[in-house]
Amino acid sequence: MVEARNCSFCGGEVEPGTGKMYVKKDGSIFYFCCTKCENNYKLGRVPRKVLWTTASRKSHGKV
């Protein structure tokens, strides 16, 4: 059974067969649910400061 993963940027669920897996040279693996999350990660943005992510919502006490 294939397991569902969480997006490394926004925290949303990545269903099997969708999204992208990004592997850095040091072997760390990142999963992205959409290109919006992937591009924000590549731009160097911190998920805690991007308002629509679950990390931001947790840090502001919304969840």
Side-chain angles (χ1 to χ4, degrees):
M1 187 71 192
V2 181
E3 58 188 70
R5 308 210 184 263
N6 289 331
C7 179
S8 299
F9 191 79
C10 73
E13 187 176 335
V14 180
E15 295 185 13
T18 63
K20 279 190 182 178
M21 181 173 71
Y22 178 71
V23 182
K24 291 175 65 173
K25 287 182 181 179
D26 62 358
S28 55
I29 301 172
F30 295 95
Y31 295 98
F32 298 110
C33 61
C34 57
T35 55
K36 178 181 178 180
C37 295
E38 184 181 3
N39 291 335
N40 277 306
Y41 171 76
K42 287 183 178 179
L43 285 171
R45 296 192 175 137
V46 181
R48 283 175 284 130
K49 295 189 177 188
V50 180
L51 297 177
W52 50 268
T53 61
T54 55
S56 172
R57 292 182 58 79
K58 280 184 185 178
S59 68
H60 287 94
K62 302 277 183 173
V63 174

PDB file of all heavy atoms in Angstrom, residues 7-10 19-25 28 30-32 34-47 50 52:
ATOM      1  N   CYS A   7       3.160  17.707   2.290  1.00  0.00           N
ATOM      2  CA  CYS A   7       3.955  18.670   1.539  1.00  0.00           C
ATOM      3  C   CYS A   7       4.999  19.277   2.470  1.00  0.00           C
ATOM      4  O   CYS A   7       4.687  19.658   3.600  1.00  0.00           O
ATOM      5  CB  CYS A   7       3.051  19.754   0.965  1.00  0.00           C
ATOM      6  SG  CYS A   7       3.922  21.023   0.041  1.00  0.00           S
ATOM      7  N   SER A   8       6.221  19.369   2.005  1.00  0.00           N
ATOM      8  CA  SER A   8       7.309  19.894   2.822  1.00  0.00           C
ATOM      9  C   SER A   8       7.202  21.395   3.031  1.00  0.00           C
ATOM     10  O   SER A   8       7.809  21.936   3.943  1.00  0.00           O
ATOM     11  CB  SER A   8       8.658  19.569   2.176  1.00  0.00           C
ATOM     12  OG  SER A   8       8.825  18.187   2.071  1.00  0.00           O
ATOM     13  N   PHE A   9       6.430  22.094   2.214  1.00  0.00           N
ATOM     14  CA  PHE A   9       6.300  23.544   2.363  1.00  0.00           C
ATOM     15  C   PHE A   9       5.010  23.934   3.079  1.00  0.00           C
ATOM     16  O   PHE A   9       5.056  24.538   4.134  1.00  0.00           O
ATOM     17  CB  PHE A   9       6.371  24.238   1.003  1.00  0.00           C
ATOM     18  CG  PHE A   9       6.501  25.730   1.118  1.00  0.00           C
ATOM     19  CD1 PHE A   9       7.713  26.313   1.399  1.00  0.00           C
ATOM     20  CD2 PHE A   9       5.394  26.547   0.958  1.00  0.00           C
ATOM     21  CE1 PHE A   9       7.830  27.680   1.536  1.00  0.00           C
ATOM     22  CE2 PHE A   9       5.500  27.910   1.077  1.00  0.00           C
ATOM     23  CZ  PHE A   9       6.721  28.484   1.364  1.00  0.00           C
ATOM     24  N   CYS A  10       3.873  23.548   2.524  1.00  0.00           N
ATOM     25  CA  CYS A  10       2.610  24.026   3.098  1.00  0.00           C
ATOM     26  C   CYS A  10       2.024  23.094   4.146  1.00  0.00           C
ATOM     27  O   CYS A  10       1.177  23.500   4.931  1.00  0.00           O
ATOM     28  CB  CYS A  10       1.588  24.278   1.997  1.00  0.00           C
ATOM     29  SG  CYS A  10       0.904  22.801   1.241  1.00  0.00           S
ATOM     30  N   GLY A  19       1.856  15.294  -7.213  1.00  0.00           N
ATOM     31  CA  GLY A  19       2.915  16.080  -6.602  1.00  0.00           C
ATOM     32  C   GLY A  19       4.287  15.781  -7.172  1.00  0.00           C
ATOM     33  O   GLY A  19       4.436  15.066  -8.167  1.00  0.00           O
ATOM     34  N   LYS A  20       5.303  16.341  -6.523  1.00  0.00           N
ATOM     35  CA  LYS A  20       6.684  16.164  -6.953  1.00  0.00           C
ATOM     36  C   LYS A  20       7.553  15.821  -5.756  1.00  0.00           C
ATOM     37  O   LYS A  20       7.318  16.285  -4.650  1.00  0.00           O
ATOM     38  CB  LYS A  20       7.232  17.448  -7.571  1.00  0.00           C
ATOM     39  CG  LYS A  20       6.858  17.672  -8.988  1.00  0.00           C
ATOM     40  CD  LYS A  20       7.665  18.829  -9.541  1.00  0.00           C
ATOM     41  CE  LYS A  20       7.267  19.117 -10.964  1.00  0.00           C
ATOM     42  NZ  LYS A  20       8.004  20.264 -11.486  1.00  0.00           N
ATOM     43  N   MET A  21       8.593  15.023  -6.035  1.00  0.00           N
ATOM     44  CA  MET A  21       9.589  14.708  -5.029  1.00  0.00           C
ATOM     45  C   MET A  21      10.886  15.386  -5.461  1.00  0.00           C
ATOM     46  O   MET A  21      11.340  15.203  -6.592  1.00  0.00           O
ATOM     47  CB  MET A  21       9.793  13.201  -4.923  1.00  0.00           C
ATOM     48  CG  MET A  21      10.798  12.807  -3.875  1.00  0.00           C
ATOM     49  SD  MET A  21      10.898  11.036  -3.603  1.00  0.00           S
ATOM     50  CE  MET A  21      11.691  10.502  -5.098  1.00  0.00           C
ATOM     51  N   TYR A  22      11.477  16.184  -4.570  1.00  0.00           N
ATOM     52  CA  TYR A  22      12.699  16.919  -4.864  1.00  0.00           C
ATOM     53  C   TYR A  22      13.791  16.387  -3.951  1.00  0.00           C
ATOM     54  O   TYR A  22      13.648  16.386  -2.731  1.00  0.00           O
ATOM     55  CB  TYR A  22      12.456  18.410  -4.618  1.00  0.00           C
ATOM     56  CG  TYR A  22      13.645  19.302  -4.842  1.00  0.00           C
ATOM     57  CD1 TYR A  22      14.118  19.552  -6.117  1.00  0.00           C
ATOM     58  CD2 TYR A  22      14.288  19.920  -3.778  1.00  0.00           C
ATOM     59  CE1 TYR A  22      15.186  20.391  -6.335  1.00  0.00           C
ATOM     60  CE2 TYR A  22      15.367  20.756  -3.976  1.00  0.00           C
ATOM     61  CZ  TYR A  22      15.809  20.986  -5.254  1.00  0.00           C
ATOM     62  OH  TYR A  22      16.884  21.809  -5.459  1.00  0.00           O
ATOM     63  N   VAL A  23      14.890  15.892  -4.535  1.00  0.00           N
ATOM     64  CA  VAL A  23      15.986  15.320  -3.769  1.00  0.00           C
ATOM     65  C   VAL A  23      17.206  16.212  -3.934  1.00  0.00           C
ATOM     66  O   VAL A  23      17.660  16.463  -5.047  1.00  0.00           O
ATOM     67  CB  VAL A  23      16.318  13.885  -4.250  1.00  0.00           C
ATOM     68  CG1 VAL A  23      17.426  13.292  -3.418  1.00  0.00           C
ATOM     69  CG2 VAL A  23      15.079  13.016  -4.198  1.00  0.00           C
ATOM     70  N   LYS A  24      17.733  16.710  -2.814  1.00  0.00           N
ATOM     71  CA  LYS A  24      18.924  17.540  -2.855  1.00  0.00           C
ATOM     72  C   LYS A  24      20.175  16.673  -2.954  1.00  0.00           C
ATOM     73  O   LYS A  24      20.117  15.460  -2.781  1.00  0.00           O
ATOM     74  CB  LYS A  24      18.979  18.408  -1.595  1.00  0.00           C
ATOM     75  CG  LYS A  24      17.901  19.465  -1.552  1.00  0.00           C
ATOM     76  CD  LYS A  24      17.879  20.226  -0.256  1.00  0.00           C
ATOM     77  CE  LYS A  24      19.121  21.031  -0.029  1.00  0.00           C
ATOM     78  NZ  LYS A  24      19.025  21.888   1.161  1.00  0.00           N
ATOM     79  N   LYS A  25      21.302  17.301  -3.223  1.00  0.00           N
ATOM     80  CA  LYS A  25      22.558  16.573  -3.384  1.00  0.00           C
ATOM     81  C   LYS A  25      22.995  15.871  -2.104  1.00  0.00           C
ATOM     82  O   LYS A  25      23.704  14.877  -2.148  1.00  0.00           O
ATOM     83  CB  LYS A  25      23.662  17.514  -3.842  1.00  0.00           C
ATOM     84  CG  LYS A  25      23.526  17.946  -5.275  1.00  0.00           C
ATOM     85  CD  LYS A  25      24.680  18.822  -5.674  1.00  0.00           C
ATOM     86  CE  LYS A  25      24.531  19.277  -7.112  1.00  0.00           C
ATOM     87  NZ  LYS A  25      25.632  20.153  -7.524  1.00  0.00           N
ATOM     88  N   SER A  28      18.663  14.765   1.194  1.00  0.00           N
ATOM     89  CA  SER A  28      17.402  15.119   1.844  1.00  0.00           C
ATOM     90  C   SER A  28      16.284  15.171   0.805  1.00  0.00           C
ATOM     91  O   SER A  28      16.478  15.627  -0.324  1.00  0.00           O
ATOM     92  CB  SER A  28      17.522  16.444   2.590  1.00  0.00           C
ATOM     93  OG  SER A  28      17.968  17.452   1.726  1.00  0.00           O
ATOM     94  N   PHE A  30      12.326  16.248  -0.288  1.00  0.00           N
ATOM     95  CA  PHE A  30      11.219  17.160  -0.076  1.00  0.00           C
ATOM     96  C   PHE A  30      10.075  16.745  -0.991  1.00  0.00           C
ATOM     97  O   PHE A  30      10.292  16.402  -2.147  1.00  0.00           O
ATOM     98  CB  PHE A  30      11.622  18.606  -0.409  1.00  0.00           C
ATOM     99  CG  PHE A  30      12.683  19.153   0.496  1.00  0.00           C
ATOM    100  CD1 PHE A  30      14.014  19.099   0.132  1.00  0.00           C
ATOM    101  CD2 PHE A  30      12.354  19.726   1.707  1.00  0.00           C
ATOM    102  CE1 PHE A  30      14.999  19.603   0.953  1.00  0.00           C
ATOM    103  CE2 PHE A  30      13.321  20.233   2.544  1.00  0.00           C
ATOM    104  CZ  PHE A  30      14.654  20.163   2.172  1.00  0.00           C
ATOM    105  N   TYR A  31       8.853  16.788  -0.476  1.00  0.00           N
ATOM    106  CA  TYR A  31       7.661  16.483  -1.257  1.00  0.00           C
ATOM    107  C   TYR A  31       6.849  17.767  -1.408  1.00  0.00           C
ATOM    108  O   TYR A  31       6.649  18.506  -0.433  1.00  0.00           O
ATOM    109  CB  TYR A  31       6.807  15.426  -0.558  1.00  0.00           C
ATOM    110  CG  TYR A  31       7.502  14.097  -0.448  1.00  0.00           C
ATOM    111  CD1 TYR A  31       8.153  13.730   0.718  1.00  0.00           C
ATOM    112  CD2 TYR A  31       7.513  13.202  -1.511  1.00  0.00           C
ATOM    113  CE1 TYR A  31       8.801  12.512   0.822  1.00  0.00           C
ATOM    114  CE2 TYR A  31       8.159  11.984  -1.424  1.00  0.00           C
ATOM    115  CZ  TYR A  31       8.793  11.647  -0.251  1.00  0.00           C
ATOM    116  OH  TYR A  31       9.438  10.440  -0.161  1.00  0.00           O
ATOM    117  N   PHE A  32       6.398  18.040  -2.619  1.00  0.00           N
ATOM    118  CA  PHE A  32       5.603  19.230  -2.889  1.00  0.00           C
ATOM    119  C   PHE A  32       4.272  18.833  -3.511  1.00  0.00           C
ATOM    120  O   PHE A  32       4.221  17.987  -4.405  1.00  0.00           O
ATOM    121  CB  PHE A  32       6.349  20.177  -3.830  1.00  0.00           C
ATOM    122  CG  PHE A  32       7.643  20.691  -3.248  1.00  0.00           C
ATOM    123  CD1 PHE A  32       8.853  20.283  -3.762  1.00  0.00           C
ATOM    124  CD2 PHE A  32       7.632  21.575  -2.185  1.00  0.00           C
ATOM    125  CE1 PHE A  32      10.042  20.744  -3.239  1.00  0.00           C
ATOM    126  CE2 PHE A  32       8.816  22.040  -1.652  1.00  0.00           C
ATOM    127  CZ  PHE A  32      10.021  21.624  -2.166  1.00  0.00           C
ATOM    128  N   CYS A  34       2.183  21.037  -5.073  1.00  0.00           N
ATOM    129  CA  CYS A  34       1.917  21.818  -6.277  1.00  0.00           C
ATOM    130  C   CYS A  34       3.143  22.663  -6.613  1.00  0.00           C
ATOM    131  O   CYS A  34       4.066  22.786  -5.816  1.00  0.00           O
ATOM    132  CB  CYS A  34       0.692  22.708  -6.092  1.00  0.00           C
ATOM    133  SG  CYS A  34       0.823  23.819  -4.692  1.00  0.00           S
ATOM    134  N   THR A  35       3.138  23.270  -7.793  1.00  0.00           N
ATOM    135  CA  THR A  35       4.270  24.095  -8.193  1.00  0.00           C
ATOM    136  C   THR A  35       4.339  25.378  -7.382  1.00  0.00           C
ATOM    137  O   THR A  35       5.418  25.962  -7.247  1.00  0.00           O
ATOM    138  CB  THR A  35       4.201  24.437  -9.690  1.00  0.00           C
ATOM    139  OG1 THR A  35       2.942  25.045  -9.967  1.00  0.00           O
ATOM    140  CG2 THR A  35       4.367  23.197 -10.532  1.00  0.00           C
ATOM    141  N   LYS A  36       3.220  25.818  -6.822  1.00  0.00           N
ATOM    142  CA  LYS A  36       3.216  27.004  -5.969  1.00  0.00           C
ATOM    143  C   LYS A  36       4.124  26.781  -4.760  1.00  0.00           C
ATOM    144  O   LYS A  36       4.950  27.639  -4.417  1.00  0.00           O
ATOM    145  CB  LYS A  36       1.784  27.297  -5.527  1.00  0.00           C
ATOM    146  CG  LYS A  36       1.619  28.471  -4.596  1.00  0.00           C
ATOM    147  CD  LYS A  36       0.139  28.606  -4.237  1.00  0.00           C
ATOM    148  CE  LYS A  36      -0.119  29.716  -3.267  1.00  0.00           C
ATOM    149  NZ  LYS A  36      -1.540  29.831  -2.939  1.00  0.00           N
ATOM    150  N   CYS A  37       4.012  25.622  -4.136  1.00  0.00           N
ATOM    151  CA  CYS A  37       4.848  25.300  -2.983  1.00  0.00           C
ATOM    152  C   CYS A  37       6.302  25.115  -3.396  1.00  0.00           C
ATOM    153  O   CYS A  37       7.219  25.565  -2.702  1.00  0.00           O
ATOM    154  CB  CYS A  37       4.330  24.042  -2.295  1.00  0.00           C
ATOM    155  SG  CYS A  37       2.704  24.220  -1.579  1.00  0.00           S
ATOM    156  N   GLU A  38       6.515  24.449  -4.507  1.00  0.00           N
ATOM    157  CA  GLU A  38       7.873  24.205  -4.990  1.00  0.00           C
ATOM    158  C   GLU A  38       8.591  25.515  -5.307  1.00  0.00           C
ATOM    159  O   GLU A  38       9.747  25.713  -4.920  1.00  0.00           O
ATOM    160  CB  GLU A  38       7.818  23.329  -6.240  1.00  0.00           C
ATOM    161  CG  GLU A  38       9.164  22.937  -6.763  1.00  0.00           C
ATOM    162  CD  GLU A  38       9.066  22.096  -8.025  1.00  0.00           C
ATOM    163  OE1 GLU A  38       7.951  21.872  -8.525  1.00  0.00           O
ATOM    164  OE2 GLU A  38      10.127  21.681  -8.515  1.00  0.00           O
ATOM    165  N   ASN A  39       7.920  26.427  -5.988  1.00  0.00           N
ATOM    166  CA  ASN A  39       8.527  27.701  -6.339  1.00  0.00           C
ATOM    167  C   ASN A  39       8.803  28.562  -5.112  1.00  0.00           C
ATOM    168  O   ASN A  39       9.829  29.236  -5.039  1.00  0.00           O
ATOM    169  CB  ASN A  39       7.655  28.465  -7.326  1.00  0.00           C
ATOM    170  CG  ASN A  39       7.613  27.808  -8.681  1.00  0.00           C
ATOM    171  OD1 ASN A  39       8.537  27.085  -9.045  1.00  0.00           O
ATOM    172  ND2 ASN A  39       6.545  28.033  -9.431  1.00  0.00           N
ATOM    173  N   ASN A  40       7.908  28.549  -4.137  1.00  0.00           N
ATOM    174  CA  ASN A  40       8.137  29.304  -2.909  1.00  0.00           C
ATOM    175  C   ASN A  40       9.335  28.747  -2.146  1.00  0.00           C
ATOM    176  O   ASN A  40      10.116  29.508  -1.576  1.00  0.00           O
ATOM    177  CB  ASN A  40       6.895  29.291  -2.018  1.00  0.00           C
ATOM    178  CG  ASN A  40       5.898  30.336  -2.425  1.00  0.00           C
ATOM    179  OD1 ASN A  40       6.227  31.507  -2.534  1.00  0.00           O
ATOM    180  ND2 ASN A  40       4.665  29.923  -2.654  1.00  0.00           N
ATOM    181  N   TYR A  41       9.515  27.442  -2.145  1.00  0.00           N
ATOM    182  CA  TYR A  41      10.677  26.836  -1.494  1.00  0.00           C
ATOM    183  C   TYR A  41      11.966  27.227  -2.215  1.00  0.00           C
ATOM    184  O   TYR A  41      12.954  27.609  -1.591  1.00  0.00           O
ATOM    185  CB  TYR A  41      10.547  25.312  -1.460  1.00  0.00           C
ATOM    186  CG  TYR A  41      11.804  24.640  -0.986  1.00  0.00           C
ATOM    187  CD1 TYR A  41      12.146  24.634   0.360  1.00  0.00           C
ATOM    188  CD2 TYR A  41      12.674  24.043  -1.888  1.00  0.00           C
ATOM    189  CE1 TYR A  41      13.318  24.044   0.789  1.00  0.00           C
ATOM    190  CE2 TYR A  41      13.847  23.458  -1.459  1.00  0.00           C
ATOM    191  CZ  TYR A  41      14.164  23.454  -0.125  1.00  0.00           C
ATOM    192  OH  TYR A  41      15.328  22.878   0.293  1.00  0.00           O
ATOM    193  N   LYS A  42      11.945  27.165  -3.548  1.00  0.00           N
ATOM    194  CA  LYS A  42      13.140  27.500  -4.322  1.00  0.00           C
ATOM    195  C   LYS A  42      13.495  28.980  -4.221  1.00  0.00           C
ATOM    196  O   LYS A  42      14.658  29.353  -4.369  1.00  0.00           O
ATOM    197  CB  LYS A  42      12.951  27.099  -5.785  1.00  0.00           C
ATOM    198  CG  LYS A  42      13.017  25.603  -5.981  1.00  0.00           C
ATOM    199  CD  LYS A  42      12.896  25.228  -7.431  1.00  0.00           C
ATOM    200  CE  LYS A  42      13.016  23.728  -7.613  1.00  0.00           C
ATOM    201  NZ  LYS A  42      12.879  23.342  -9.024  1.00  0.00           N
ATOM    202  N   LEU A  43      12.519  29.841  -3.966  1.00  0.00           N
ATOM    203  CA  LEU A  43      12.784  31.265  -3.765  1.00  0.00           C
ATOM    204  C   LEU A  43      13.355  31.552  -2.378  1.00  0.00           C
ATOM    205  O   LEU A  43      13.752  32.678  -2.092  1.00  0.00           O
ATOM    206  CB  LEU A  43      11.494  32.074  -3.961  1.00  0.00           C
ATOM    207  CG  LEU A  43      11.029  32.247  -5.400  1.00  0.00           C
ATOM    208  CD1 LEU A  43       9.639  32.864  -5.425  1.00  0.00           C
ATOM    209  CD2 LEU A  43      12.015  33.115  -6.168  1.00  0.00           C
ATOM    210  N   GLY A  44      13.375  30.543  -1.513  1.00  0.00           N
ATOM    211  CA  GLY A  44      13.957  30.707  -0.184  1.00  0.00           C
ATOM    212  C   GLY A  44      12.993  31.240   0.853  1.00  0.00           C
ATOM    213  O   GLY A  44      13.423  31.711   1.903  1.00  0.00           O
ATOM    214  N   ARG A  45      11.720  31.169   0.582  1.00  0.00           N
ATOM    215  CA  ARG A  45      10.727  31.667   1.537  1.00  0.00           C
ATOM    216  C   ARG A  45      10.558  30.700   2.692  1.00  0.00           C
ATOM    217  O   ARG A  45      10.646  29.486   2.525  1.00  0.00           O
ATOM    218  CB  ARG A  45       9.403  31.910   0.838  1.00  0.00           C
ATOM    219  CG  ARG A  45       9.526  32.998  -0.188  1.00  0.00           C
ATOM    220  CD  ARG A  45       8.194  33.455  -0.701  1.00  0.00           C
ATOM    221  NE  ARG A  45       8.400  34.591  -1.605  1.00  0.00           N
ATOM    222  CZ  ARG A  45       7.788  34.737  -2.752  1.00  0.00           C
ATOM    223  NH1 ARG A  45       6.919  33.849  -3.159  1.00  0.00           N
ATOM    224  NH2 ARG A  45       8.039  35.783  -3.499  1.00  0.00           N
ATOM    225  N   VAL A  46      10.298  31.243   3.875  1.00  0.00           N
ATOM    226  CA  VAL A  46      10.119  30.447   5.083  1.00  0.00           C
ATOM    227  C   VAL A  46       8.631  30.165   5.241  1.00  0.00           C
ATOM    228  O   VAL A  46       7.825  31.102   5.221  1.00  0.00           O
ATOM    229  CB  VAL A  46      10.657  31.209   6.313  1.00  0.00           C
ATOM    230  CG1 VAL A  46      10.496  30.394   7.572  1.00  0.00           C
ATOM    231  CG2 VAL A  46      12.103  31.590   6.098  1.00  0.00           C
ATOM    232  N   PRO A  47       8.222  28.890   5.403  1.00  0.00           N
ATOM    233  CA  PRO A  47       6.790  28.577   5.503  1.00  0.00           C
ATOM    234  C   PRO A  47       6.079  29.274   6.666  1.00  0.00           C
ATOM    235  O   PRO A  47       4.893  29.560   6.587  1.00  0.00           O
ATOM    236  CB  PRO A  47       6.775  27.064   5.698  1.00  0.00           C
ATOM    237  CG  PRO A  47       8.046  26.587   5.110  1.00  0.00           C
ATOM    238  CD  PRO A  47       9.034  27.679   5.336  1.00  0.00           C
ATOM    239  N   VAL A  50       4.768  32.694   5.332  1.00  0.00           N
ATOM    240  CA  VAL A  50       3.804  32.702   4.228  1.00  0.00           C
ATOM    241  C   VAL A  50       2.442  32.380   4.838  1.00  0.00           C
ATOM    242  O   VAL A  50       2.240  31.314   5.401  1.00  0.00           O
ATOM    243  CB  VAL A  50       4.204  31.670   3.149  1.00  0.00           C
ATOM    244  CG1 VAL A  50       3.210  31.683   2.017  1.00  0.00           C
ATOM    245  CG2 VAL A  50       5.596  31.960   2.635  1.00  0.00           C
ATOM    246  N   TRP A  52      -0.623  31.460   4.110  1.00  0.00           N
ATOM    247  CA  TRP A  52      -1.569  30.395   3.806  1.00  0.00           C
ATOM    248  C   TRP A  52      -1.079  29.009   4.201  1.00  0.00           C
ATOM    249  O   TRP A  52      -1.793  28.021   4.027  1.00  0.00           O
ATOM    250  CB  TRP A  52      -1.944  30.412   2.317  1.00  0.00           C
ATOM    251  CG  TRP A  52      -0.772  30.450   1.403  1.00  0.00           C
ATOM    252  CD1 TRP A  52      -0.176  31.566   0.899  1.00  0.00           C
ATOM    253  CD2 TRP A  52      -0.042  29.345   0.885  1.00  0.00           C
ATOM    254  NE1 TRP A  52       0.879  31.219   0.098  1.00  0.00           N
ATOM    255  CE2 TRP A  52       0.989  29.856   0.071  1.00  0.00           C
ATOM    256  CE3 TRP A  52      -0.154  27.968   1.023  1.00  0.00           C
ATOM    257  CZ2 TRP A  52       1.887  29.048  -0.594  1.00  0.00           C
ATOM    258  CZ3 TRP A  52       0.748  27.161   0.350  1.00  0.00           C
ATOM    259  CH2 TRP A  52       1.753  27.702  -0.439  1.00  0.00           C
TER     260      TRP A  52
END
